[in-house]
CSV table of all heavy atoms in Angstrom, one decimal:
chain,number,residue,atom,x,y,z
Z,350,LYS,N,2.0,11.7,-18.9
Z,350,LYS,CA,2.4,10.4,-18.2
Z,350,LYS,C,2.9,9.3,-19.2
Z,350,LYS,O,3.8,8.7,-18.9
Z,350,LYS,CB,1.3,9.9,-17.3
Z,350,LYS,CG,1.0,10.8,-16.1
Z,350,LYS,CD,-0.1,10.1,-15.3
Z,350,LYS,CE,-0.7,11.0,-14.1
Z,350,LYS,NZ,-1.7,10.3,-13.4
Z,351,THR,N,2.1,9.2,-20.3
Z,351,THR,CA,2.6,8.2,-21.2
Z,351,THR,C,4.0,8.6,-21.8
Z,351,THR,O,4.7,7.7,-22.1
Z,351,THR,CB,1.5,8.1,-22.5
Z,351,THR,OG1,1.5,9.2,-23.3
Z,351,THR,CG2,0.2,7.6,-22.0
Z,352,LYS,N,4.3,9.8,-22.0
Z,352,LYS,CA,5.5,10.2,-22.5
Z,352,LYS,C,6.6,9.8,-21.6
Z,352,LYS,O,7.7,9.2,-21.9
Z,352,LYS,CB,5.6,11.7,-22.8
Z,352,LYS,CG,4.8,12.2,-24.1
Z,352,LYS,CD,5.5,11.7,-25.4
Z,352,LYS,CE,4.7,12.0,-26.7
Z,352,LYS,NZ,5.3,11.3,-27.9
Z,353,LEU,N,6.4,10.1,-20.2
Z,353,LEU,CA,7.4,9.8,-19.2
Z,353,LEU,C,7.5,8.3,-19.1
Z,353,LEU,O,8.6,7.7,-19.0
Z,353,LEU,CB,7.0,10.4,-17.9
Z,353,LEU,CG,8.0,10.1,-16.8
Z,353,LEU,CD1,9.4,10.6,-17.2
Z,353,LEU,CD2,7.6,10.9,-15.5
Z,354,MET,N,6.4,7.5,-19.2
Z,354,MET,CA,6.4,6.0,-19.1
Z,354,MET,C,7.2,5.5,-20.2
Z,354,MET,O,8.0,4.5,-20.1
Z,354,MET,CB,5.0,5.5,-19.0
Z,354,MET,CG,4.3,5.7,-17.8
Z,354,MET,SD,2.6,5.1,-17.9
Z,354,MET,CE,1.8,5.7,-16.3
Z,355,MET,N,7.0,6.0,-21.5
Z,355,MET,CA,7.7,5.5,-22.6
Z,355,MET,C,9.2,5.8,-22.5
Z,355,MET,O,10.0,4.9,-22.8
Z,355,MET,CB,7.2,6.1,-23.9
Z,355,MET,CG,5.7,5.7,-24.2
Z,355,MET,SD,5.0,6.2,-25.8
Z,355,MET,CE,4.5,7.8,-25.4
Z,356,GLU,N,9.6,6.9,-21.9
Z,356,GLU,CA,11.0,7.2,-21.7
Z,356,GLU,C,11.5,6.2,-20.8
Z,356,GLU,O,12.7,5.7,-21.0
Z,356,GLU,CB,11.2,8.7,-21.0
Z,356,GLU,CG,11.0,9.8,-22.0
Z,356,GLU,CD,11.6,11.1,-21.4
Z,356,GLU,OE1,12.2,11.0,-20.2
Z,356,GLU,OE2,11.4,12.1,-22.0
Z,357,GLU,N,10.8,5.8,-19.8
Z,357,GLU,CA,11.2,4.9,-18.7
Z,357,GLU,C,11.4,3.4,-19.3
Z,357,GLU,O,12.5,2.8,-19.0
Z,357,GLU,CB,10.3,4.7,-17.5
Z,357,GLU,CG,10.3,6.1,-16.7
Z,357,GLU,CD,11.7,6.3,-16.0
Z,357,GLU,OE1,12.1,5.4,-15.3
Z,357,GLU,OE2,12.3,7.3,-16.3
Z,358,ILE,N,10.5,3.1,-20.1
Z,358,ILE,CA,10.6,1.8,-20.9
Z,358,ILE,C,11.9,1.8,-21.7
Z,358,ILE,O,12.7,0.8,-21.6
Z,358,ILE,CB,9.3,1.5,-21.7
Z,358,ILE,CG1,8.1,1.4,-20.8
Z,358,ILE,CG2,9.6,0.3,-22.6
Z,358,ILE,CD1,6.8,1.4,-21.5
Z,359,LEU,N,12.1,2.9,-22.4
Z,359,LEU,CA,13.4,2.9,-23.3
Z,359,LEU,C,14.6,2.9,-22.5
Z,359,LEU,O,15.6,2.2,-22.8
Z,359,LEU,CB,13.3,4.2,-24.1
Z,359,LEU,CG,12.2,4.2,-25.1
Z,359,LEU,CD1,12.1,5.5,-25.9
Z,359,LEU,CD2,12.4,3.0,-26.2
Z,360,ARG,N,14.7,3.6,-21.3
Z,360,ARG,CA,15.8,3.7,-20.5
Z,360,ARG,C,16.1,2.3,-19.9
Z,360,ARG,O,17.2,1.8,-19.9
Z,360,ARG,CB,15.4,4.6,-19.3
Z,360,ARG,CG,16.7,4.9,-18.4
Z,360,ARG,CD,16.2,5.7,-17.1
Z,360,ARG,NE,15.6,7.0,-17.5
Z,360,ARG,CZ,16.3,8.1,-17.6
Z,360,ARG,NH1,17.5,8.1,-17.5
Z,360,ARG,NH2,15.6,9.2,-17.9
Z,361,ASP,N,15.0,1.6,-19.4
Z,361,ASP,CA,15.3,0.2,-18.9
Z,361,ASP,C,15.7,-0.7,-19.9
Z,361,ASP,O,16.5,-1.6,-19.7
Z,361,ASP,CB,14.0,-0.2,-18.2
Z,361,ASP,CG,13.7,0.6,-16.9
Z,361,ASP,OD1,14.6,1.2,-16.4
Z,361,ASP,OD2,12.6,0.6,-16.5
Z,362,LEU,N,15.1,-0.6,-21.1
Z,362,LEU,CA,15.5,-1.5,-22.2
Z,362,LEU,C,17.0,-1.3,-22.6
Z,362,LEU,O,17.7,-2.3,-22.7
Z,362,LEU,CB,14.7,-1.3,-23.4
Z,362,LEU,CG,15.0,-2.0,-24.7
Z,362,LEU,CD1,14.9,-3.6,-24.5
Z,362,LEU,CD2,14.1,-1.7,-25.9
Z,363,GLN,N,17.4,-0.1,-22.7
Z,363,GLN,CA,18.9,0.2,-23.1
Z,363,GLN,C,19.7,-0.2,-22.0
Z,363,GLN,O,20.9,-0.7,-22.3
Z,363,GLN,CB,19.0,1.7,-23.4
Z,363,GLN,CG,20.2,2.0,-24.2
Z,363,GLN,CD,21.4,2.1,-23.4
Z,363,GLN,OE1,21.5,2.4,-22.3
Z,363,GLN,NE2,22.6,1.6,-24.1
Z,364,SER,N,19.3,-0.1,-20.8
Z,364,SER,CA,20.1,-0.5,-19.6
Z,364,SER,C,20.3,-1.9,-19.6
Z,364,SER,O,21.4,-2.6,-19.3
Z,364,SER,CB,19.5,0.0,-18.3
Z,364,SER,OG,20.1,-0.5,-17.1
Z,365,ALA,N,19.2,-2.8,-20.0
Z,365,ALA,CA,19.3,-4.3,-20.0
Z,365,ALA,C,20.1,-4.7,-21.2
Z,365,ALA,O,20.7,-5.7,-21.2
Z,365,ALA,CB,17.9,-4.9,-20.0
Z,366,GLU,N,20.0,-3.9,-22.3
Z,366,GLU,CA,20.7,-4.4,-23.5
Z,366,GLU,C,21.5,-3.2,-24.1
Z,366,GLU,O,21.0,-2.4,-24.9
Z,366,GLU,CB,19.6,-4.8,-24.6
Z,366,GLU,CG,18.8,-5.9,-24.1
Z,366,GLU,CD,17.7,-6.4,-25.1
Z,366,GLU,OE1,17.9,-6.1,-26.4
Z,366,GLU,OE2,16.8,-7.0,-24.8
Z,367,PRO,N,22.7,-3.1,-23.6
Z,367,PRO,CA,23.5,-1.8,-23.7
Z,367,PRO,C,23.9,-1.6,-25.2
Z,367,PRO,O,24.5,-0.6,-25.5
Z,367,PRO,CB,24.8,-2.1,-22.8
Z,367,PRO,CG,24.4,-3.2,-21.9
Z,367,PRO,CD,23.4,-4.1,-22.6
Z,368,ASP,N,23.7,-2.6,-26.1
Z,368,ASP,CA,24.0,-2.3,-27.5
Z,368,ASP,C,23.0,-1.5,-28.1
Z,368,ASP,O,23.2,-1.1,-29.4
Z,368,ASP,CB,24.3,-3.6,-28.2
Z,368,ASP,CG,23.2,-4.6,-28.2
Z,368,ASP,OD1,22.4,-4.5,-27.2
Z,368,ASP,OD2,23.1,-5.4,-29.1
Z,369,TRP,N,21.9,-1.2,-27.6
Z,369,TRP,CA,20.9,-0.3,-28.0
Z,369,TRP,C,21.5,1.2,-28.0
Z,369,TRP,O,22.2,1.5,-27.1
Z,369,TRP,CB,19.6,-0.3,-27.3
Z,369,TRP,CG,18.7,-1.4,-27.7
Z,369,TRP,CD1,18.9,-2.7,-27.4
Z,369,TRP,CD2,17.4,-1.3,-28.3
Z,369,TRP,NE1,17.9,-3.5,-27.9
Z,369,TRP,CE2,17.0,-2.6,-28.5
Z,369,TRP,CE3,16.7,-0.2,-28.8
Z,369,TRP,CZ2,15.7,-2.9,-29.1
Z,369,TRP,CZ3,15.5,-0.5,-29.4
Z,369,TRP,CH2,15.0,-1.9,-29.6
Z,370,SER,N,21.0,2.0,-29.0
Z,370,SER,CA,21.3,3.4,-28.9
Z,370,SER,C,20.0,4.1,-29.0
Z,370,SER,O,19.2,4.0,-29.9
Z,370,SER,CB,22.3,3.9,-29.9
Z,370,SER,OG,22.1,3.3,-31.2
Z,371,VAL,N,19.7,4.9,-27.9
Z,371,VAL,CA,18.3,5.6,-27.9
Z,371,VAL,C,18.6,7.0,-27.6
Z,371,VAL,O,19.4,7.4,-26.7
Z,371,VAL,CB,17.5,5.0,-26.7
Z,371,VAL,CG1,16.2,5.8,-26.5
Z,371,VAL,CG2,17.3,3.5,-27.0
Z,372,VAL,N,18.0,7.9,-28.4
Z,372,VAL,CA,18.0,9.3,-28.1
Z,372,VAL,C,16.6,9.8,-27.9
Z,372,VAL,O,15.7,9.6,-28.7
Z,372,VAL,CB,18.7,10.2,-29.3
Z,372,VAL,CG1,18.5,11.6,-29.0
Z,372,VAL,CG2,20.1,9.8,-29.4
Z,373,VAL,N,16.4,10.3,-26.7
Z,373,VAL,CA,15.0,10.9,-26.3
Z,373,VAL,C,15.1,12.4,-26.5
Z,373,VAL,O,16.1,13.1,-26.0
Z,373,VAL,CB,14.7,10.6,-24.9
Z,373,VAL,CG1,13.5,11.4,-24.4
Z,373,VAL,CG2,14.5,9.1,-24.7
Z,374,LEU,N,14.3,12.9,-27.3
Z,374,LEU,CA,14.2,14.4,-27.6
Z,374,LEU,C,13.0,14.9,-26.9
Z,374,LEU,O,11.9,14.5,-27.1
Z,374,LEU,CB,14.1,14.6,-29.1
Z,374,LEU,CG,15.3,14.1,-29.9
Z,374,LEU,CD1,15.1,14.3,-31.4
Z,374,LEU,CD2,16.7,14.7,-29.5
Z,375,ARG,N,13.2,15.9,-26.0
Z,375,ARG,CA,12.1,16.5,-25.3
Z,375,ARG,C,11.8,17.9,-25.9
Z,375,ARG,O,12.5,18.8,-25.9
Z,375,ARG,CB,12.5,16.8,-23.8
Z,375,ARG,CG,12.6,15.4,-23.1
Z,375,ARG,CD,12.9,15.6,-21.6
Z,375,ARG,NE,13.1,14.3,-20.9
Z,375,ARG,CZ,13.8,14.1,-19.9
Z,375,ARG,NH1,14.5,15.1,-19.3
Z,375,ARG,NH2,13.9,12.9,-19.3
Z,376,TYR,N,10.7,17.8,-26.7
Z,376,TYR,CA,10.3,19.1,-27.5
Z,376,TYR,C,9.7,20.1,-26.5
Z,376,TYR,O,8.9,19.8,-25.7
Z,376,TYR,CB,9.2,18.7,-28.5
Z,376,TYR,CG,9.5,17.6,-29.4
Z,376,TYR,CD1,8.4,16.8,-29.9
Z,376,TYR,CD2,10.8,17.2,-29.8
Z,376,TYR,CE1,8.6,15.8,-30.8
Z,376,TYR,CE2,11.0,16.1,-30.6
Z,376,TYR,CZ,9.9,15.4,-31.1
Z,376,TYR,OH,10.1,14.4,-32.0
Z,377,PHE,N,10.0,21.4,-26.9
Z,377,PHE,CA,9.4,22.4,-26.3
Z,377,PHE,C,8.1,22.7,-27.2
Z,377,PHE,O,7.4,21.7,-27.5
Z,377,PHE,CB,10.2,23.6,-25.9
Z,377,PHE,CG,11.0,23.3,-24.6
Z,377,PHE,CD1,12.0,22.2,-24.6
Z,377,PHE,CD2,10.6,23.7,-23.4
Z,377,PHE,CE1,12.6,21.8,-23.5
Z,377,PHE,CE2,11.3,23.3,-22.3
Z,377,PHE,CZ,12.2,22.3,-22.3
Z,378,ASN,N,7.9,23.9,-27.7
Z,378,ASN,CA,6.5,24.1,-28.4
Z,378,ASN,C,6.7,24.4,-29.8
Z,378,ASN,O,7.0,25.6,-30.3
Z,378,ASN,CB,5.8,25.4,-27.7
Z,378,ASN,CG,5.4,25.0,-26.3
Z,378,ASN,OD1,6.3,24.8,-25.4
Z,378,ASN,ND2,4.2,25.0,-26.0
Z,379,PRO,N,6.7,23.3,-30.7
Z,379,PRO,CA,6.9,23.6,-32.1
Z,379,PRO,C,5.7,24.3,-32.7
Z,379,PRO,O,4.5,24.0,-32.6
Z,379,PRO,CB,6.9,22.1,-32.7
Z,379,PRO,CG,6.2,21.3,-31.6
Z,379,PRO,CD,6.4,22.0,-30.3
Z,380,ILE,N,6.2,25.3,-33.5
Z,380,ILE,CA,5.2,26.1,-34.4
Z,380,ILE,C,5.9,26.3,-35.7
Z,380,ILE,O,6.9,25.8,-36.0
Z,380,ILE,CB,4.8,27.4,-33.7
Z,380,ILE,CG1,6.0,28.3,-33.6
Z,380,ILE,CG2,4.1,27.1,-32.4
Z,380,ILE,CD1,5.6,29.8,-33.1
Z,381,GLY,N,5.2,27.1,-36.6
Z,381,GLY,CA,5.8,27.4,-37.9
Z,381,GLY,C,5.5,26.2,-38.9
Z,381,GLY,O,4.7,25.2,-38.6
Z,382,ALA,N,6.0,26.3,-40.1
Z,382,ALA,CA,5.7,25.4,-41.1
Z,382,ALA,C,6.8,25.4,-42.2
Z,382,ALA,O,7.7,26.3,-42.2
Z,382,ALA,CB,4.3,25.7,-41.8
Z,383,HIS,N,6.9,24.4,-43.1
Z,383,HIS,CA,7.8,24.5,-44.1
Z,383,HIS,C,7.7,25.7,-45.0
Z,383,HIS,O,6.5,26.1,-45.3
Z,383,HIS,CB,7.6,23.2,-45.0
Z,383,HIS,CG,8.7,23.0,-46.1
Z,383,HIS,ND1,8.5,23.3,-47.3
Z,383,HIS,CD2,10.0,22.6,-45.9
Z,383,HIS,CE1,9.6,23.1,-48.1
Z,383,HIS,NE2,10.5,22.6,-47.2
Z,384,LYS,N,8.8,26.2,-45.5
Z,384,LYS,CA,8.8,27.5,-46.3
Z,384,LYS,C,7.9,27.4,-47.5
Z,384,LYS,O,7.3,28.5,-47.9
Z,384,LYS,CB,10.3,27.7,-46.9
Z,384,LYS,CG,11.1,28.5,-45.9
Z,384,LYS,CD,11.0,30.0,-46.0
Z,384,LYS,CE,11.8,30.7,-45.1
Z,384,LYS,NZ,11.1,30.8,-43.7
Z,385,SER,N,7.7,26.2,-48.0
Z,385,SER,CA,6.7,26.1,-49.2
Z,385,SER,C,5.4,26.5,-49.0
Z,385,SER,O,4.6,26.9,-49.8
Z,385,SER,CB,6.8,24.7,-49.7
Z,385,SER,OG,6.2,23.9,-48.8
Z,386,GLY,N,5.0,26.5,-47.7
Z,386,GLY,CA,3.6,26.8,-47.4
Z,386,GLY,C,2.6,25.6,-47.7
Z,386,GLY,O,1.4,25.8,-47.6
Z,387,THR,N,3.2,24.5,-48.1
Z,387,THR,CA,2.3,23.5,-48.5
Z,387,THR,C,2.0,22.4,-47.4
Z,387,THR,O,1.1,21.6,-47.5
Z,387,THR,CB,2.9,22.6,-49.7
Z,387,THR,OG1,4.2,22.2,-49.3
Z,387,THR,CG2,3.0,23.6,-50.9
Z,388,ILE,N,2.8,22.3,-46.3
Z,388,ILE,CA,2.5,21.4,-45.2
Z,388,ILE,C,2.7,22.3,-43.9
Z,388,ILE,O,3.4,23.3,-43.9
Z,388,ILE,CB,3.5,20.2,-45.1
Z,388,ILE,CG1,5.0,20.7,-44.9
Z,388,ILE,CG2,3.4,19.4,-46.4
Z,388,ILE,CD1,5.8,19.5,-44.5
Z,389,GLY,N,1.9,21.8,-42.9
Z,389,GLY,CA,2.0,22.6,-41.6
Z,389,GLY,C,1.1,21.8,-40.7
Z,389,GLY,O,0.6,20.7,-40.9
Z,390,GLU,N,0.8,22.5,-39.5
Z,390,GLU,CA,0.0,21.8,-38.5
Z,390,GLU,C,-1.4,21.9,-38.9
Z,390,GLU,O,-2.0,23.0,-39.2
Z,390,GLU,CB,0.2,22.5,-37.2
Z,390,GLU,CG,-0.4,21.8,-36.0
Z,390,GLU,CD,0.0,22.3,-34.6
Z,390,GLU,OE1,0.7,23.3,-34.5
Z,390,GLU,OE2,-0.3,21.5,-33.6
Z,391,ASP,N,-2.1,20.8,-38.8
Z,391,ASP,CA,-3.6,20.7,-39.2
Z,391,ASP,C,-4.3,19.8,-38.1
Z,391,ASP,O,-4.6,18.7,-38.5
Z,391,ASP,CB,-3.7,20.1,-40.6
Z,391,ASP,CG,-5.0,20.0,-41.1
Z,391,ASP,OD1,-5.9,20.8,-40.7
Z,391,ASP,OD2,-5.3,19.2,-42.0
Side-chain angles (χ1 to χ4, degrees):
Chain Z
K350 289 185 193 177
T351 65
K352 286 289 174 189
L353 184 54
M354 291 177 185
M355 292 185 282
E356 284 195 9
E357 290 299 298
I358 293 169
L359 293 172
R360 184 189 303 274
D361 290 340
L362 174 60
Q363 199 282 327
S364 174
E366 301 182 19
D368 55 337
W369 277 70
S370 39
V371 176
V372 170
V373 168
L374 299 178
R375 292 181 180 153
Y376 307 154
F377 283 71
N378 296 64
I380 61 174
H383 187 260
K384 273 278 177 279
S385 66
T387 59
I388 65 169
E390 188 169 11
D391 182 25

